[in-house]
Amino acid sequence: MKIRTALCATLAVLTACAGTLAAAPTPSTGLDRAALRSAVEGVRQAGVPGVYAEVRASGDGVAAGAGRTWSGASGVADLGTGRPVRPDMRHRVGSITKTFTAVAVMQQVEQGRIRLDAPIGDHLPLLVPGERGKKITVRMLLNNSSGIPDYIPYAFPSLQTFPSPASAQSLDDNRFRTFRPAELIALGLAAPPTGEPGAATGVYSNTNYLLLGQLLERTTGTAAEVYITRHVIERAGLRNTEFPSGTRIDGPHSRMYESLYGVLDPPRDYSVYDMSWTGTGAALVSTMEDLNRFYAKLLDGRLVNRRSLTEMQRTIPVRALDGSTIQYGLGLHKVTVPGCGTFWGHDGTVWGARTMSLTRADGKRQMSVGINLERWNRPDSSGRPQHHPIDDALSALYRTAMCATTPEPAP
């Protein structure tokens, strides 16, 4: 199965994906609050039940702490009760988790306990044995050039007929199932390779990041989730970010509605779910405020040193799960927007939830957006998901958030 990724599905107008964004005015530090409110409302009107966002701007860099912040929300967190969404709601942020895992690995690299170009078989000989373990390096896992395929089609077999899934049966079967990382890794390793280790173009795979979680556990002597919590989440000062301990999200949050390309009509709520199916690849819960704080500190060199950050920003072309090509480093996406600059961050999806978090390279602009609907595009007669007004509305919100057009007057 290939679950369509959020990055190119809703940023198709950006040069990181298939299309092109018309050149925007010279970047400004001002926030057009009226335009942001209108853009968030536009996402709701296009068909998303609820959307929440935080945008930051600063003349001296967001990480410096001085600047302007806008947060807003529109719509409902619960279609049944009409409970409204709030900007500070907790949210399952999916593959944004990969940046957190990559930071933890780079911290171990800095301590000399992991070498980026060491064979993974040196650390995990039982999980990746033989010649494969000798050829695949830690770096290849981080930048998705290992050639190891994704385990998700095999853990969720009813979705293997993508882009026209047969049913949502696997989603329901796995709702309360607890997977072991080794079990999922074995599924990925047993599948046909997607390419040779170290190929010039990588292929996005969640299996890589479960292996990195096991590498952290082997190296640190503690569970990867515990290490990431202590040395990444707490070090960044994040108050509302955590790996869930059960099937429910603690604190104020929205229901999360999955459409599965029209298979689920009306969309089904999957906010209650055992996230062991994705672990150190995509299990985190966070808020838009925390995500902006995290990426600001990462890109300011406060979570890893500058040498490590340089390594994380060395990108290669990687084929995303929707077949498009993205620029991917070590747990970081690179997105270049003409007229606005280069942005770093990640996107994430899980069942019923989508998140995008991007920070401009100079630290002067940040955007984090979460929505509580996923895979809304219905397929055409050939089985390919069709364009939807939600795609345009999200792209408009991202453009407004990243590329200010009306500077705020001085206070």
Side-chain angles (χ1 to χ4, degrees):
M1 177 196 62
K2 296 180 180 179
I3 298 177
R4 192 179 185 194
T5 58
L7 184 70
C8 290
T10 56
L11 283 184
V13 295
L14 300 183
T15 56
C17 302
T20 302
L21 175 66
T26 302
S28 163
T29 58
L31 291 176
D32 190 336
R33 297 171 186 272
L36 285 166
R37 286 192 295 270
S38 177
V40 166
E41 176 62 16
V43 174
R44 184 197 65 79
Q45 291 178 353
V48 172
V51 52
Y52 18 90
E54 185 191 79
V55 182
R56 297 184 183 187
S58 170
D60 298 318
V62 176
R68 297 178 175 88
T69 300
W70 176 89
S71 60
S74 181
V76 298
D78 189 323
L79 288 169
T81 66
R83 174 171 56 93
V85 289
R86 295 173 9 199
D88 61 348
M89 281 186 159
R90 292 188 171 194
H91 191 64
R92 296 197 192 276
V93 299
S95 285
I96 288 174
T97 306
K98 290 179 173 64
T99 309
F100 287 74
T101 299
V103 167
V105 171
M106 295 308 295
Q107 290 175 349
Q108 290 295 295
V109 170
E110 292 173 6
Q111 295 178 32
R113 304 184 71 182
I114 294 174
R115 290 186 298 110
L116 279 177
D117 296 309
I120 189 60
D122 288 357
H123 295 280
L124 303 173
L126 297 181
L127 282 178
V128 194
E131 286 301 309
R132 210 174 194 181
K134 295 177 182 178
K135 291 180 178 180
I136 295 171
T137 66
V138 175
R139 185 189 301 274
M140 293 174 195
L141 297 176
L142 285 162
N143 68 11
N144 285 301
S145 65
S146 70
I148 301 174
D150 205 322
Y151 61 82
I152 291 179
Y154 310 98
F156 294 83
S158 73
L159 308 183
Q160 288 186 9
T161 56
F162 179 90
S164 297
S167 75
Q169 187 63 49
S170 294
L171 273 67
D172 295 326
D173 289 346
N174 290 342
R175 184 190 286 267
F176 298 107
R177 178 177 176 178
T178 299
F179 287 96
R180 293 178 296 105
E183 175 185 3
L184 296 171
I185 290 167
L187 291 175
L189 289 171
T194 58
E196 286 296 317
T201 298
V203 178
Y204 193 89
S205 172
N206 287 285
T207 312
N208 292 322
Y209 275 77
L210 289 192
L211 277 165
L212 290 167
Q214 294 303 289
L215 173 62
L216 280 171
E217 183 169 330
R218 174 68 180 270
T219 305
T220 66
T222 188
E225 291 85 354
V226 173
Y227 180 88
I228 294 169
T229 298
R230 291 174 180 170
H231 298 277
V232 182
I233 295 172
E234 293 178 2
R235 182 171 171 179
L238 309 184
R239 299 177 181 177
N240 292 290
T241 301
E242 64 183 0
F243 286 96
S245 59
T247 59
R248 298 181 180 273
I249 301 172
D250 293 332
H253 64 278
S254 171
R255 292 187 182 275
M256 297 173 184
Y257 297 101
E258 178 64 46
S259 180
L260 201 60
Y261 306 113
V263 170
L264 296 172
D265 188 12
R268 188 173 299 164
D269 171 30
Y270 285 106
S271 56
V272 175
Y273 215 93
D274 187 320
M275 296 304 291
S276 62
W277 69 275
T278 190
T280 50
L284 274 180
V285 169
S286 190
T287 63
M288 302 308 104
E289 178 185 17
D290 267 10
L291 292 180
N292 280 338
R293 181 177 290 113
F294 167 69
Y295 281 108
K297 292 192 174 183
L298 171 60
L299 296 174
D300 195 44
R302 290 196 271 173
L303 299 180
V304 296
N305 63 34
R306 290 294 178 180
R307 182 177 179 180
S308 293
L309 185 57
T310 297
E311 292 287 354
M312 293 181 73
Q313 293 178 317
R314 294 185 190 277
T315 65
I316 63 169
V318 168
R319 192 168 72 247
L321 300 183
D322 67 344
S324 61
T325 299
I326 58 177
Q327 292 299 313
Y328 201 86
L330 308 186
L332 283 172
H333 284 299
K334 179 182 179 181
V335 179
T336 301
V337 186
C340 288
T342 297
F343 290 78
W344 294 94
H346 217 290
D347 65 315
T349 72
V350 292
W351 310 126
R354 173 176 293 200
T355 315
M356 178 74 72
S357 187
L358 293 172
T359 295
R360 203 163 70 198
D362 62 5
K364 295 181 180 180
R365 195 77 174 191
Q366 290 193 283
M367 169 201 79
S368 290
V369 176
I371 59 175
N372 61 0
L373 177 69
E374 188 50 288
R375 283 166 280 274
W376 52 79
N377 307 80
R378 292 176 179 269
D380 59 19
S381 58
S382 69
R384 302 303 305 177
Q386 301 176 77
H387 192 78
H388 191 283
I390 292 174
D391 302 323
D392 296 326
L394 276 175
S395 292
L397 172 56
Y398 297 157
R399 286 197 304 271
T400 303
M402 290 189 288
C403 309
T405 56
T406 306
E408 289 184 321

